[in-house]
Amino acid sequence: MDTKVKQETKSEIETKPLGIHGLESLGPYISEQDNAKNFVYVSDIPQLCKDEPCMLGVDEAGRGPVLGPMVYGIAFCPLSKKDILKQLGFADSKQLTEEKRDEIFDEMNRKDYAVEALGWAVEAISPNVISMSMLRRTKHSLNEVSMDSAIGLINAAIDAGVNIAEVYVDTVGPPEKYQAKLKAIFPKFKITVAKKADSTYPIVSAASIAAKVTRDHALKVWKFRERPNETENTFGSGYPGDPTTKQFLGEIDLVFGFPRLVRFSWSTAGKALEKKAYDMEFEDEEDTKSNQKATYGSEKLSKYFSASKNENRKRNEYFRDRCLEHVADI
């Protein structure tokens, strides 16, 4: 009986979803996600964050690179515990070394005093989703993608029971317009949107570190669908000025272009494709049958006034009832 109980316990552990409880578990968690889609992770919510009024910070990482995800992060803690932010050493994550960011991230998920009062969440926005949003017919700009993510994460914190009182956001676009937009959505919160908020407000810096460390490790564990045997980072930081990234962007499949790691909507990627890749044309099945070209994705108006030579199309009931027939093609 004892053996059976142990086996069941082991099985429960094996099937339990992965969580992030420090730097060591961050990479394995990310590697389990589908990198062609977005994913959201919300940390355990400290009871203090439910019981007491909290401040919440919002920031992003990876907005500018030509490849990899853009990650939005939030962090929250009770107003009465803001000294914890100083104790952990939060500062603008861009001014810290990668090693220091990793160290702080690990401490905020392991130290008892941090875990009891500080929570966080991230959304990793896939480069595939960014490309599709910016290249679709009704374009969704990067600013709109960013704002949607920030609003979604704030709502995720609300749904998790966080008692939000104040919100601090590193701006996207004009801060006044962004602040008015957020105020209209969250009228009960005190909202501050500012440039370089990550270097002014420690809670935004905490969000920045959560976002930056998540993006760094997402690149480290990136799995190529197109290159399953590639196990090492051969693409660099993703910034166009990085020599390793430049070399990676020069390795183009002449038909399919780049793997999904690359943001096809970036001009850097587009120009590289124009120089080397084959020009491709794709016809819809309907276009092939009727031998009519589509304009802006729509069929020619004349198609509805003349029957195709290749198919015997039944005339509309309106014309049949009135014995009306075509006498000339338009």
Side-chain angles (χ1 to χ4, degrees), residues 209-223:
I209 284 178
K212 182 65 175 170
V213 172
T214 299
R215 174 178 155 81
D216 288 345
H217 286 262
L219 292 177
K220 287 180 180 179
V221 300
W222 187 272
K223 294 179 181 177

Side-chain angles (χ1 to χ4, degrees), residues 54-59 72 74-75 79 150 154 164-184 186-205 207:
C54 292
M55 63 177 76
L56 181 147
V58 183
D59 200 10
Y72 254 80
I74 62 171
L79 295 170
I154 294 171
I164 301 172
E166 301 177 4
V167 176
Y168 299 89
V169 185
D170 196 38
T171 193
V172 171
E176 298 81 11
K177 290 185 178 180
Y178 193 7
Q179 183 166 310
K181 179 184 178 78
L182 292 176
K183 192 65 180 175
F186 306 108
K188 295 182 180 180
F189 304 156
K190 176 188 173 184
I191 296 176
T192 302
V193 179
K195 295 180 180 179
K196 300 188 182 300
D198 50 349
S199 58
T200 306
Y201 303 101
I203 194 65
V204 179
S205 181

Side-chain angles (χ1 to χ4, degrees), residues 23-311:
L23 194 64
E24 187 177 338
S25 54
L26 177 61
Y29 179 87
I30 296 172
S31 66
E32 290 295 316
Q33 311 307 311
D34 183 350
N35 58 29
K37 301 177 182 179
N38 298 355
F39 76 82
V40 174
Y41 179 84
V42 181
S43 74
D44 294 336
I45 309 297
Q47 188 60 42
L48 275 176
C49 292
K50 298 180 180 181
D51 297 338
E52 297 186 19
C54 292
M55 63 177 76
L56 181 147
V58 183
D59 200 10
E60 53 77 27
R63 180 179 172 84
V66 67
L67 54 80
M70 176 172 70
V71 179
Y72 254 80
I74 62 171
F76 44 87
C77 78
L79 295 170
S80 63
K81 297 290 184 180
K82 59 184 179 182
D83 288 345
I84 288 175
L85 302 174
K86 294 180 181 179
Q87 192 173 347
L88 284 165
F90 286 120
D92 179 7
S93 68
K94 299 178 185 67
Q95 304 299 322
L96 301 173
T97 63
E98 182 178 346
E99 292 75 17
K100 187 61 178 177
R101 287 194 299 267
D102 285 352
E103 180 186 327
I104 294 174
F105 180 85
D106 197 49
E107 288 182 353
M108 66 187 275
N109 285 281
R110 288 184 180 275
K111 297 286 187 180
D112 289 341
Y113 69 87
V115 174
E116 291 170 0
L118 179 65
W120 58 278
V122 291
E123 180 179 23
I125 305 168
S126 163
N128 188 51
V129 172
I130 293 172
S131 297
M132 289 192 297
S133 297
M134 296 179 70
L135 294 175
R136 69 190 190 187
R137 188 177 302 162
T138 305
K139 299 187 184 301
H140 202 57
S141 72
L142 191 63
N143 280 1
E144 291 172 310
V145 172
S146 300
M147 291 179 185
D148 288 348
S149 182
I151 293 165
L153 286 173
I154 294 171
N155 278 321
I158 294 170
D159 293 342
V162 180
N163 183 5
I164 301 172
E166 301 177 4
V167 176
Y168 299 89
V169 185
D170 196 38
T171 193
V172 171
E176 298 81 11
K177 290 185 178 180
Y178 193 7
Q179 183 166 310
K181 179 184 178 78
L182 292 176
K183 192 65 180 175
I185 299 171
F186 306 108
K188 295 182 180 180
F189 304 156
K190 176 188 173 184
I191 296 176
T192 302
V193 179
K195 295 180 180 179
K196 300 188 182 300
D198 50 349
S199 58
T200 306
Y201 303 101
I203 194 65
V204 179
S205 181
S208 180
I209 284 178
K212 182 65 175 170
V213 172
T214 299
R215 174 178 155 81
D216 288 345
H217 286 262
L219 292 177
K220 287 180 180 179
V221 300
W222 187 272
K223 294 179 181 177
F224 285 96
R225 293 183 178 190
E226 307 85 352
R227 306 174 183 179
N229 296 325
E230 191 160 342
T231 58
E232 294 183 0
N233 179 338
T234 59
F235 44 81
S237 65
Y239 287 93
D242 184 335
T244 306
T245 299
K246 281 184 178 180
Q247 183 177 348
F248 177 82
L249 292 175
E251 299 169 358
I252 297 175
D253 185 295
L254 297 182
V255 175
F256 298 104
F258 298 114
R260 290 186 178 185
L261 173 71
V262 176
R263 302 176 188 177
F264 283 75
S265 51
W266 255 235
S267 60
T268 307
K271 289 176 182 177
L273 289 172
E274 287 176 4
K275 287 181 180 179
K276 291 189 176 183
Y278 296 138
D279 290 332
M280 305 294 291
E281 289 186 8
F282 298 92
E283 291 186 343
D284 292 335
E285 187 177 348
E286 287 297 320
D287 291 338
T288 305
K289 285 181 179 179
S290 63
N291 197 27
Q292 294 183 356
K293 274 191 175 180
T295 304
Y296 298 109
S298 302
E299 295 172 321
K300 282 188 175 180
L301 186 62
S302 60
K303 179 178 179 181
Y304 296 96
F305 293 89
S306 61
S308 170
K309 296 178 181 179
N310 299 324
E311 56 186 25

